[in-house]
Amino acid sequence: MITAQKGTKDILADEIAKWHFVENAMREVFEKANYKEIRTPIFEATELFARGVGDSTDIVNKEMYTFDQKGRSLTLRPENTAGVVRAYIEHGMHRISPPVKLYYKGPMFRYERPQAGRQRQFHQVGVEVFGVDAPSCDAEVISTAIAFLNKIGLNDLELEINSLGCEKCRANFREKLKEAVKPMLEKFCDDCKMRYEKNPLRMLDCKSPECQSYLATEAVQNAINSDFICEDCQEHFEKLKGYLDALGIKYNVNRLLVRGLDYYNRTVFEIKSNSLGSQNAVCGGGRYDSLVTTLGGQPTAAVGWAMGMERLMALIPDVNASSLDAYIVCQDLNESLKLAKYLRNNGLKTEFDMQGKNFSKGFEKALKSGARFAVILGEDEIKAGKVTIKNLTSKEQVTVNKEDILTQII
Ligand code: ATP
Ligand code: MG
């Protein structure tokens, strides 16, 4: 037997109503906030992610599905910001008057150790807003995330925010952090030693408890909590906090929050749920003002986030699929097919007995189907141009003219 690959999952009929519920809520919330959907390809040039996500990240170093096609290196997208930015540049979206507000949803691929809340093929929904460097845009994007989460019934979540500052602030912070870490660098894991050289801020994001314990020492904490943020960046952050307060959105400032991707500057944020166990992040995002130029475009401010859809599914109760309105029991399949077409065209969810051999078997199927009504067309009814409609809950039954069938059911 050939089975689904490790870390991948079929989404079956009994779960799909929940996915549709989330996807419908998503469309409604995003459309109302004037975002437009974008759909980009699932594979891209490997270089896009190496440059866009950053070659000191776990994603690029360990998690990409990369393959070679006629000497061209291609990668299944591990995230979608790089792809959306590529499309933004390729289609000259800088010519559209800002903001350019986009959203996406779809499968992403990361070679990770599968566990609860962590798959190799998983789904993300995300938004990206281009062209506005004002902190009101950071607030807008965070507010969209919260509105969507609330819409699907998730209210008990924690928002953490932080500011990484601009390139100057970060250079300042990098030096302070390196200095504080240097005396104990030997003790850190190999990944952190590499990060120390390439991108020391990412050490704060290390999942190893030992590394976290070294980061908790006084010298490192002093560096983390020092004033490395310049005045402009501080003002940006204060304004963002003010907008969140005005919106009634609660948050905690977490100075350790740096996010796993290289491209963020100024605002970074994460939304967590305490009911998810160890994979507790549902949403991660931030501002990435330099990514568009890194990928060859005009300088363009940008901010966005991505959410893991499987983690959302784990948090919301099951959604029942809508039940059938009508089940047609009839031995003349021409009549069944015609009537099914008519009822469906008039908005009724309809099924019919495709065997049509035996009346009592057909009626049994109607009962099992969970339909509200059985629509019965026996020989006599066909001759008289009538149908019998049986309410399968109350068991009441009436015979009406064919023209009256809709009024009877609706
Ligand atoms: P984590 O720290 O959990 O690995 P991340 O920082 O790698 O998350 P992002 O790249 O920011 O995650 O992706 C945004 C969201 O996508 C995460 O908050 C999470 O909900 C979801 N996500 C990331 N990786 C996976 C995965 N392998 N399986 C399922 N969901 C995932
Ligand atoms: Mg990860």
Side-chain angles (χ1 to χ4, degrees):
M1 184 175 62
I2 301 173
T3 57
Q5 291 302 294
K6 192 172 166 191
T8 70
K9 268 190 187 152
D10 299 310
I11 300 169
L12 299 175
D14 57 351
E15 291 165 87
I16 206 71
K18 200 162 157 177
W19 284 78
H20 290 166
F21 163 73
V22 168
E23 288 162 4
N24 291 340
M26 172 185 96
R27 271 196 197 104
E28 196 179 321
V29 170
F30 296 167
E31 295 287 335
K32 288 279 185 296
N34 199 30
Y35 291 82
K36 305 258 181 339
E37 187 179 357
I38 181 167
R39 299 186 185 184
T40 63
I42 279 172
F43 64 86
E44 299 269 4
T46 302
E47 195 200 344
L48 175 70
F49 304 114
R51 274 212 272 157
V53 179
D55 52 17
S56 70
T57 60
D58 283 354
I59 293 182
V60 171
N61 280 315
K62 309 180 196 164
E63 299 175 359
M64 293 207 300
Y65 281 92
T66 295
F67 55 101
D68 215 68
Q69 196 180 46
K70 296 198 174 152
R72 195 175 290 219
S73 181
L74 303 172
T75 292
L76 299 183
R77 62 183 188 192
E79 55 96 64
N80 208 27
T81 300
V84 171
V85 171
R86 179 203 46 69
Y88 176 90
I89 298 167
E90 192 169 332
H91 301 283
M93 289 189 224
H94 63 278
R95 290 192 296 262
I96 303 170
S97 82
V100 174
K101 299 170 83 174
L102 303 172
Y103 77 92
Y104 62 80
K105 69 151 179 68
M108 307 295 157
F109 305 84
R110 296 185 193 177
Y111 184 70
E112 301 200 70
R113 194 168 64 79
Q115 48 193 297
R118 202 173 283 292
Q119 294 175 199
R120 290 180 174 173
Q121 175 171 345
F122 61 102
H123 297 78
Q124 282 186 338
V125 43
V127 308
E128 317 288 355
V129 178
F130 296 94
V132 183
D133 60 6
S136 55
C137 188
D138 309 42
E140 157 80 343
V141 155
I142 293 175
S143 149
T144 305
I146 303 283
F148 165 55
L149 292 165
N150 291 347
K151 182 89 186 170
I152 59 172
L154 300 176
N155 300 297
D156 188 21
L157 298 162
E158 278 174 30
L159 167 65
E160 291 192 337
I161 60 173
N162 190 23
S163 177
L164 302 173
C166 56
E167 199 31 62
K168 265 190 237 150
C169 310
R170 283 202 294 178
N172 189 351
F173 182 38
R174 261 196 297 275
E175 285 324 303
K176 284 191 176 167
L177 185 64
K178 280 180 94 166
E179 210 173 287
V181 163
K182 200 172 180 182
M184 45 185 166
L185 183 61
E186 274 314 301
K187 297 192 209 164
F188 279 85
C189 70
D190 288 347
D191 280 345
C192 276
K193 287 186 188 117
M194 183 273 288
R195 291 171 187 142
Y196 181 86
E197 297 304 331
K198 281 194 171 175
N199 189 351
L201 260 58
R202 294 235 35 243
M203 295 177 81
L204 304 185
D205 208 28
C206 183
K207 300 239 158 57
S208 138
E210 286 85 41
C211 294
Q212 283 300 328
S213 74
Y214 308 139
L215 294 173
T217 55
E218 202 185 331
V220 182
Q221 284 298 309
N222 286 341
I224 292 168
N225 292 309
S226 66
D227 293 328
F228 60 86
I229 304 281
C230 71
E231 232 172 83
D232 283 354
C233 290
Q234 191 59 44
E235 191 191 325
H236 185 100
F237 196 47
E238 292 308 319
K239 281 192 173 157
L240 167 62
K241 288 193 279 184
Y243 298 138
L244 294 177
D245 292 336
L247 284 164
I249 296 175
K250 292 202 181 68
Y251 55 84
N252 292 313
V253 176
N254 175 1
R255 296 296 295 266
L256 278 176
L257 185 66
V258 291
R259 308 274 312 118
L261 312 175
D262 275 359
Y263 46 60
Y264 290 117
N265 66 293
R266 289 195 163 165
T267 312
V268 287
F269 58 92
E270 221 163 68
I271 302 175
K272 292 180 176 164
S273 160
N274 292 325
S275 10
L276 274 179
S278 55
Q279 314 313 323
N280 64 354
V282 290
C283 175
R287 181 166 274 289
Y288 54 92
D289 296 333
S290 59
L291 184 59
V292 181
T293 39
T294 300
L295 293 176
Q298 316 267 341
T300 309
V303 48
W305 52 254
M307 287 188 200
M309 293 183 74
E310 280 78 3
R311 293 189 198 174
L312 298 180
M313 298 303 157
L315 287 170
I316 62 173
D318 285 341
V319 173
N320 289 328
S322 68
S323 52
L324 279 176
D325 294 308
Y327 193 100
I328 300 165
V329 182
C330 173
Q331 268 137 279
D332 182 336
L333 288 165
N334 281 322
E335 291 297 327
S336 299
L337 284 160
K338 281 194 290 183
L339 185 57
K341 179 178 158 189
Y342 173 74
L343 295 178
R344 290 166 184 171
N345 283 345
N346 282 285
L348 295 177
K349 186 165 171 174
T350 305
E351 189 54 280
F352 66 99
D353 176 15
M354 289 187 202
Q355 253 82 36
K357 277 190 190 142
N358 172 312
F359 182 81
S360 61
K361 277 209 179 124
F363 192 72
E364 244 169 63
K365 287 184 202 163
L367 283 173
K368 267 200 197 145
S369 76
R372 291 194 297 131
F373 294 94
V375 177
I376 301 157
L377 262 174
E379 261 173 55
D380 297 344
E381 277 108 345
I382 295 175
K383 267 187 213 145
K386 291 189 181 267
V387 291
T388 297
I389 298 170
K390 187 174 176 106
N391 183 321
L392 293 175
T393 324
S394 70
K395 310 290 178 209
E396 275 170 65
Q397 159 171 338
V398 284
T399 300
V400 296
N401 288 328
K402 254 186 167 172
E403 304 82 68
D404 298 330
I405 183 168
L406 287 177
T407 31
Q408 195 62 40
I409 293 182
I410 297 164

